[in-house]
């Protein structure tokens, strides 16, 4: 669901959704802690905090439900190319 929503909202060039729950004190098989790496032209001209807000808005339902923690790396294609 997370990957689909982000793909639809941002048409990313790079999208990785990593379940990091196993590294936390949660029951086995939990899906509560995620890292999102997303590269999209949609972020052009938007500061980092604004990009995080954009991602949070798209994932509002997940964050209100079972997702406890979300780490975000949100870059423009130019920033990604320099990384």
């Amino acid at each position: 669901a997370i990957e689909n929503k982000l793909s639809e909202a941002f048409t990313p060039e790079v999208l990785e959704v990593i379940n990091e729950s196993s590294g936390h004190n949660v029951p086995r098989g939990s899906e509560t802690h995620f890292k999102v790496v997303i590269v999209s032209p949609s972020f052009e001209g938007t500061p980092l905090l604004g990009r995080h807000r954009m991602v949070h808005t798209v994932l509002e339902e997940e964050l209100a439900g079972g997702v406890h923690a979300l780490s975000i790396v949100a870059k423009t294609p130019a920033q990604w190319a320099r990384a």
Side-chain angles (χ1 to χ4, degrees):
I2 291 174
E3 200 166 323
N4 290 341
K5 284 186 173 183
L6 293 174
S7 290
E8 287 177 21
F10 300 110
T11 316
E13 294 181 10
V14 175
L15 177 59
E16 293 180 52
V17 178
I18 303 151
N19 185 348
E20 297 184 330
S21 302
S22 64
H24 298 273
N25 187 20
V26 296
R28 185 180 203 106
S30 292
E31 294 190 340
T32 56
H33 295 69
F34 289 91
K35 178 177 184 177
V36 169
V37 178
I38 184 167
V39 178
S40 174
S42 300
F43 299 136
E44 294 285 349
T46 304
L48 184 61
L49 184 57
R51 297 173 194 182
H52 282 232
R53 286 181 178 145
M54 291 166 70
V55 171
H56 275 257
T57 298
V58 170
L59 300 178
E60 187 174 18
E61 187 178 323
E62 287 75 10
L63 291 166
V67 175
H68 172 72
L70 183 64
S71 168
I72 303 168
V73 176
K75 296 184 178 282
T76 66
Q79 290 171 323
W80 186 255
R82 289 191 300 262

